[in-house]
Amino acid sequence: MGFDINCLTGSSEVSLSYGRKRKIKNLWRDFDEQDAVVAAGDDGEVLSQVRLFTQSAPETVYELTTETGDTIEATADHPVGTPNGMVEVDDLGEGEEVLAHPFEGLPDEQPPEFDLLTEDDFEDEDPQIVEALNDRELLPLRPTDDAFSRLLKLVGFHTGDGTFRGDQTWFYGDEEDLQTIREDIAALGFSPSPVYERDRDHEIRGNSFEHTEYSVKSGARSLRELLLRLGAPDSPKVDSEFTAPDYLDRLPDWQRALYLSTFFGAEMSAPAAMTAKNLYCPSVSHNRRSDVSEVGEEFMQDLMRHLNEIGIATNSLEHVEDYEEHDTKRFRFGIKNDSETLIEFFTTVGYRYNEEKRRKAALAAQYLKLKERTIDERARIAEKAQALADGGVATREIKDRFDAVNDRFIERSIYEQRKGRPRPPMSFPDYEEFRENTAVGDDLTVPVEIESIDRIGKKPVYDIGVSHDAHNFVANGVVVSNCGVRMLRTPLTYDDVRGREEELVDALFDAIPSGLGGGGIVQTGRDAVEGALERGVEWAVEQGYATEDDLAHCEDEGRRPDAKPEYVSKKAKDRGMNQMGSLGSGNHFLEVQRVTDTYDDGVADAYGLEEDQIVVLIHCGSRGLGHQLCSDYVRRIEQEHGDLLDQLPDKDLAAAPAGSELAEEYYGAMCAAVNFAWVNRQLITHRTRETLAEAFDGVETGDVELLYDVAHNIAKRETHEVEGENRELFVHRKGATRAFPPGREEVPETYRDVGQPVIIPGSMGAGSYVLKGGERSLQETFGSTAHGAGRLMSRTQAKQEFWGGDVQDDLAEQEHIYVKANSGATVAEEAPGVYKDVDEVVRVSDALDIGDRVARTFPVCNIKG
């Protein structure tokens, strides 16, 4: 895979469709694999669908810092874009160049859901117009529609450089930009014309010149009427009473910027040098006839207000001049002329539908960032020099300490008590010199020198892949809390399901949210999250999502009494709020299985299992809430117990001393996350019951019973015999599951005589096992066994070795197993060949008598995130 240049700015952000952006550190919470990213390749900046988003194990990470102050974290083998192609970080050095993509866009925010236009808005028009818009799914039109974002751009540009002639909609601009407009018109379902070219003679204030004019049109009346109702002014605009569309006030910043940036692409001046090292502020002017000049002034003030609300300051509105000959007034405003504001404008709003201005904006942003960083460094040296002089250090010694500035700069800093920020040095390039010597790629990338590359330790790594020539990102990772599995018994047999596997997998996939993003089975508020954290499955019973029988068949009866929700951060609770009842991603799944073998008929009978029976296995955890909780406490442990961490045998381990305040708070918070995870699996159970009842005649929701739910990856206070004495211990089961033998009081009463059910997932092509806690599990492993088959290869290697579509096809054709996932990459990561032989894993457990075989199951269908 290639590399998305946006990562090279080091802003830890990913540019999304239409110039939105999201912080990478939040991507695992709210990134949707249906999103498109802006990929930068040889064919320019294009939208590309996301195909994978995964987390891999901690690796050594380096921080690359550029001379403009941008940083990016990457592994040594991570390819980085350079003027000479992709180069791995390990092969780069200080002074070499990488490619930066200055444009960042604005933060992603979900647009509000409301009807902008409906059929009622066209009731006075020819019915064929409504029919044409309906055929293109443009009515009703809402801000959440992808089509609306394209229309916003067309309206903004048309307001500047467009006109209506009869039923035709015309756009004027450079040939390259009009091709982009044609693509957006076509994407809306209309047929644009080719780009027309003609030479025209012009005369302005007595000066004659010839100009080649390029234009494109659409002859669709329905598009014309659509744009008019969205705020495009009717012609002639100078006589019109239009202002900025009122609906802009209801839109998120990134959508407002679409309208502004295309209008500025048509009408605003491009970046240009004012003096050798300073730039003019980009400005935009606007004409109206005198009788509608007040509305024209309001239009300009609207544009200024929207910019200000986005965070970009402007100069005051000027009434520039009147043209008595044409009875018009001219208004103008500019972006505030300071480097910080100009950089913000060029990198977040800028110009659209005008590639020449975009290239100049990319150069201007990089020049100003380099200039400001140079000035900041000189200001730091000046302040340090003054402090040294005040401390009695001789001027000559101070001069010797700073090679980056000349002696005169040190003297002025010491003796003249410099007021304000210093200027850049004489050797700093003029803007025109910088522009002439810096190439801007077709993808709007700019070369920038590497200032430093520093090793910063080990971190989990995120990989993002797209269908274009795309990229991998590295960012701070997260740690999962209370992953677990539960198995449901059903009254169905394999014959009931055979031949309907595809129908069933589609129904389950539609019913149960999966993948990295938010969205759960229930829409909850803070009270619901608090209830789940404190009371676990008891809360689900109160809300009608669980039964008393579910409580009796869940580990700890579905509630950890040591839970302390008050020790779970608000951020963690917020992240859990929209994920209650969702699978997540990675190796989490819901799988319909058939029982193929029973090994201990007495125990199988106690568990309610028999051959050919259909069961459902659910594997997931506490979602974003648990991730955030662990991240919160690991940071606190690092801050409060760094000396203890230095003594641990592995840098990836973290611990707080048992009995300490921090340890007690973490344990209470972790128990609350356990409760949340049980509720999460319970809500999926609730939806599974509904789906099976809808799909199969004679099946009621109450017929689908919980066999058992057991947590993985958890620490618990338990009493165990150690050297002949009973002691209370913290038992950490990471990659393990509890496996208590008969008689242990923690085992549900239903199963106490036979032992705790133990569920061991294999892979989606190899089946799973139900065990019972073995007689020697307490003596050998503190009542534990393996929690699954375990991986043979990393997710990265899996994606290199397997192709998701092929895996799905092979499973369906050879094993009659039907798999559905959000992406092919997820299937590749979980291919059967990725995992160890589950039969061998279980054989060892059975031989050691820590977990004894009861039944084997085999997949029928599987849904994954």
Side-chain angles (χ1 to χ4, degrees):
M1 289 190 178
F3 189 82
D4 187 322
I5 298 303
N6 289 294
C7 188
L8 291 180
T9 65
S11 59
S12 73
E13 289 156 358
V14 53
S15 291
L16 296 171
S17 49
Y18 312 116
R20 294 178 281 167
K21 68 182 181 184
R22 289 183 181 156
K23 297 287 185 182
I24 285 180
K25 62 185 179 183
N26 290 333
L27 278 177
W28 56 272
R29 172 171 61 90
D30 59 11
F31 195 77
D32 183 351
E33 293 197 3
Q34 301 307 310
D35 271 322
V37 299
V38 177
D42 294 338
D43 49 353
E45 187 182 68
V46 297
L47 295 181
S48 183
Q49 292 300 118
V50 173
R51 290 184 53 198
L52 66 94
F53 180 64
T54 62
Q55 178 187 353
S56 52
E59 298 182 43
T60 299
V61 173
Y62 295 82
E63 183 176 72
L64 184 155
T65 303
T66 71
E67 62 181 343
T68 53
D70 297 319
T71 62
I72 177 176
E73 295 178 7
T75 52
D77 61 350
H78 189 79
V80 175
T82 77
N84 298 315
M86 305 305 297
V87 178
E88 293 183 357
V89 169
D90 206 31
D91 293 327
L92 292 171
E94 294 178 7
E96 296 185 63
E97 289 184 333
V98 293
L99 295 175
H101 193 292
F103 187 80
E104 298 175 5
L106 287 160
D108 179 52
E109 182 183 346
Q110 181 68 16
E113 185 79 34
F114 67 92
D115 289 343
L116 274 162
L117 294 175
T118 67
E119 292 185 11
D120 293 342
D121 293 294
F122 298 85
E123 60 183 357
D124 296 332
E125 297 295 333
D126 186 333
Q128 290 183 342
I129 290 177
V130 172
E131 182 180 353
L133 295 176
N134 280 328
D135 287 345
R136 294 167 174 82
E137 298 183 350
L138 295 173
L139 290 179
L141 183 66
R142 301 182 179 93
T144 50
D145 298 335
D146 283 344
F148 175 65
S149 294
R150 299 182 192 276
L151 287 164
L152 262 178
K153 293 192 293 180
L154 294 175
V155 170
F157 189 85
H158 193 274
T159 301
D161 268 345
T163 188
F164 295 114
R165 295 186 205 160
D167 292 334
Q168 297 176 344
T169 305
W170 288 81
F171 299 88
Y172 303 91
D174 290 341
E175 184 176 17
E176 178 183 15
D177 305 317
L178 291 175
Q179 292 292 356
T180 307
I181 290 174
R182 291 185 73 252
E183 291 169 6
D184 277 340
I185 293 173
L188 292 169
F190 300 99
S191 299
S193 71
V195 175
Y196 299 121
E197 175 184 349
R198 67 169 177 167
D199 294 328
R200 298 192 64 182
D201 294 325
H202 292 273
E203 182 175 328
I204 297 179
R205 299 180 186 179
N207 297 316
S208 299
F209 62 94
E210 189 176 273
H211 171 67
T212 300
E213 178 185 86
Y214 297 94
S215 60
V216 67
K217 72 173 181 178
S218 166
R221 282 191 303 151
S222 52
L223 179 60
R224 177 188 188 278
E225 296 303 322
L226 188 61
L227 295 180
L228 282 170
R229 282 161 178 78
L230 287 174
D234 206 349
S235 304
K237 285 178 282 191
V238 71
D239 295 325
S240 178
E241 295 188 29
F242 72 91
T243 59
D246 291 340
Y247 57 76
L248 292 180
D249 288 304
R250 303 178 66 181
L251 302 181
D253 289 348
W254 68 267
Q255 283 189 321
R256 286 198 276 182
L258 295 181
Y259 175 90
L260 295 171
S261 62
T262 49
F263 179 75
F264 294 153
E267 294 293 297
M268 182 174 274
S269 62
M274 178 174 63
T275 63
K277 294 178 173 63
N278 296 307
L279 302 184
Y280 281 110
C281 65
S283 61
V284 60
S285 58
H286 185 69
N287 296 338
R288 293 286 180 98
R289 293 208 184 273
S290 297
D291 58 341
V292 291
S293 62
E294 290 184 3
V295 186
E297 184 175 0
E298 180 183 347
F299 170 68
M300 294 291 274
Q301 288 173 338
D302 282 344
L303 300 184
M304 294 167 61
R305 176 176 58 81
H306 287 302
L307 281 170
N308 296 162
E309 290 175 358
I310 287 173
I312 297 171
T314 61
N315 298 324
S316 300
L317 183 64
E318 300 175 288
H319 178 192
V320 185
E321 55 188 329
D322 297 336
Y323 298 117
E324 295 183 3
E325 180 182 354
H326 302 291
D327 190 27
T328 61
K329 295 182 181 293
R330 185 177 183 85
F331 303 96
R332 181 178 65 197
F333 73 83
I335 306 301
K336 185 180 178 182
N337 196 3
D338 66 74
S339 292
E340 182 179 355
T341 302
L342 291 177
I343 292 170
E344 185 74 10
F345 173 74
F346 293 142
T347 60
T348 62
V349 177
Y351 313 89
R352 283 186 174 84
Y353 289 156
N354 195 310
E355 288 303 300
E356 179 61 25
K357 290 180 183 178
R358 296 190 78 192
R359 283 189 278 268
K360 290 181 177 179
L363 276 171
Q366 285 300 95
Y367 180 79
L368 291 172
K369 288 167 70 174
L370 181 60
K371 175 182 167 184
E372 288 305 296
R373 190 144 197 266
T374 301
I375 291 173
D376 286 344
E377 176 62 12
R378 287 167 68 81
R380 186 192 66 80
I381 292 173
E383 183 179 356
K384 185 68 175 176
Q386 290 177 16
L388 290 171
D390 292 342
V393 180
T395 301
R396 172 46 55 195
E397 184 178 343
I398 296 173
K399 291 178 180 178
D400 291 342
R401 290 193 185 188
F402 299 105
D403 296 333
V405 296
N406 59 32
D407 290 354
R408 176 62 182 145
F409 180 85
I410 296 295
E411 291 169 358
R412 291 189 61 193
S413 300
I414 295 173
Y415 301 124
E416 299 178 18
Q417 296 297 305
R418 183 187 308 278
K419 291 181 173 59
R421 302 178 74 224
R423 291 176 295 182
M426 292 293 294
S427 60
F428 190 81
D430 295 346
Y431 174 68
E432 288 300 326
E433 177 188 353
F434 177 86
R435 189 174 64 82
E436 290 174 5
N437 294 320
T438 307
V440 183
D442 291 338
D443 53 10
L444 301 180
T445 57
V446 181
V448 59
E449 283 190 10
I450 299 171
E451 183 177 271
S452 63
I453 302 177
D454 300 310
R455 179 174 175 170
I456 58 174
K458 284 191 173 184
K459 293 187 177 184
V461 173
Y462 283 119
D463 294 329
I464 304 174
V466 300
S467 56
H468 189 261
D469 195 15
H471 67 284
N472 297 309
F473 281 99
V474 180
N476 291 339
V478 292
V479 182
V480 68
S481 173
N482 183 21
C483 176
V485 293
R486 65 166 47 194
M487 180 171 281
L488 310 178
R489 297 183 297 245
T490 81
L492 298 168
T493 66
Y494 185 43
D495 285 342
D496 295 323
V497 176
R498 197 196 307 262
R500 300 182 60 189
E501 294 95 340
E502 289 186 85
E503 173 191 342
L504 180 57
V505 78
D506 287 342
L508 288 167
F509 191 82
D510 291 341
I512 297 167
S514 62
L516 285 159
I521 284 171
V522 296
Q523 298 301 310
T524 59
R526 181 60 60 80
D527 289 345
V529 174
E530 294 284 354
L533 289 168
E534 181 178 5
R535 302 192 301 283
V537 182
E538 289 181 8
W539 174 87
V541 173
E542 296 166 6
Q543 301 298 316
Y545 300 116
T547 67
E548 293 291 339
D549 192 61
D550 292 331
L551 290 177
H553 291 85
C554 189
E555 179 182 2
D556 296 334
E557 296 186 331
R559 179 182 183 182
R560 291 294 302 150
D562 297 328
K564 302 292 183 184
E566 62 268 29
Y567 295 142
V568 178
S569 69
K570 177 181 180 298
K571 186 174 182 180
K573 292 173 182 176
D574 288 345
R575 292 174 63 173
M577 198 176 304
N578 68 338
Q579 293 182 333
M580 286 177 64
S582 58
L583 278 177
S585 59
N587 65 343
H588 294 160
F589 62 85
L590 180 148
E591 188 168 86
V592 177
Q593 305 172 332
R594 59 188 171 99
V595 178
T596 57
D597 303 276
T598 58
Y599 305 99
D600 187 323
D601 291 340
V603 179
D605 185 61
Y607 289 172
L609 296 175
E610 58 185 20
E611 291 185 10
D612 215 35
Q613 180 183 9
I614 292 295
V615 296
V616 180
L617 188 60
I618 299 169
H619 176 213
C620 62
S622 53
R623 299 291 277 115
L625 181 143
H627 285 237
Q628 184 62 47
L629 184 151
C630 287
S631 296
D632 292 341
Y633 279 93
V634 167
R635 282 193 292 269
R636 286 187 58 188
I637 289 170
E638 290 171 343
Q639 293 166 2
E640 298 181 28
H641 298 288
D643 54 341
L644 174 60
L645 300 189
D646 293 338
Q647 301 173 33
L648 298 177
D650 192 304
K651 291 183 178 180
D652 291 330
L653 294 175
S660 68
E661 181 179 356
L662 179 54
E664 291 301 310
E665 289 184 11
Y666 173 70
Y667 187 71
M670 185 198 64
C671 288
V674 171
N675 286 343
F676 185 90
W678 276 324
V679 170
N680 189 42
R681 292 192 286 273
Q682 184 64 49
L683 291 171
I684 294 171
T685 297
H686 173 74
R687 184 58 62 82
T688 302
R689 286 167 168 161
E690 291 181 330
T691 303
L692 293 176
E694 291 173 3
F696 296 96
D697 293 338
V699 175
E700 303 290 337
T701 57
D703 297 333
V704 181
E705 300 173 330
L706 177 60
L707 189 157
Y708 195 58
D709 184 304
V710 62
H712 298 162
N713 299 337
I714 187 176
K716 299 183 75 171
R717 275 195 182 101
E718 294 174 356
T719 301
H720 290 272
E721 184 178 322
V722 180
E723 297 178 350
E725 295 182 4
N726 286 335
R727 295 179 57 186
E728 185 180 70
L729 307 172
F730 283 105
V731 180
H732 297 256
R733 294 186 176 97
K734 172 64 178 171
T737 185
R738 201 177 71 177
F740 280 176
R744 185 83 181 200
E745 65 178 2
E746 293 95 335
V747 178
E749 186 175 351
T750 312
Y751 306 133
R752 198 166 295 161
D753 291 341
V754 294
Q756 175 206 312
V758 179
I759 304 164
I760 308 292
S763 74
M764 57 190 177
S768 302
Y769 279 86
V770 179
L771 314 181
K772 73 177 184 70
E775 294 289 349
R776 296 193 55 79
S777 65
L778 292 175
Q779 297 96 309
E780 300 292 339
T781 59
F782 295 96
S784 310
T785 190
H787 86 321
R791 298 184 72 91
L792 280 170
M793 64 179 70
S794 69
R795 297 184 183 281
T796 300
Q797 184 182 352
K799 293 193 292 282
Q800 294 169 349
E801 302 241 355
F802 299 98
W803 184 253
D806 292 342
V807 173
Q808 286 174 294
D809 291 344
D810 289 346
L811 287 171
E813 294 169 7
Q814 299 175 20
E815 303 290 349
H816 304 290
I817 301 169
Y818 294 84
V819 177
K820 191 160 186 178
N822 278 323
S823 73
T826 298
V827 179
E829 292 171 13
E830 298 298 308
V834 168
Y835 283 91
K836 299 173 185 175
D837 183 351
V838 69
D839 297 332
E840 179 63 14
V841 171
V842 169
R843 185 196 67 77
V844 172
S845 179
D846 188 82
L848 293 173
D849 199 15
I850 59 176
D852 303 335
R853 294 187 304 174
V854 175
R856 189 178 190 277
T857 63
F858 194 76
V860 174
C861 61
N862 180 299
I863 67 170
K864 304 186 72 65

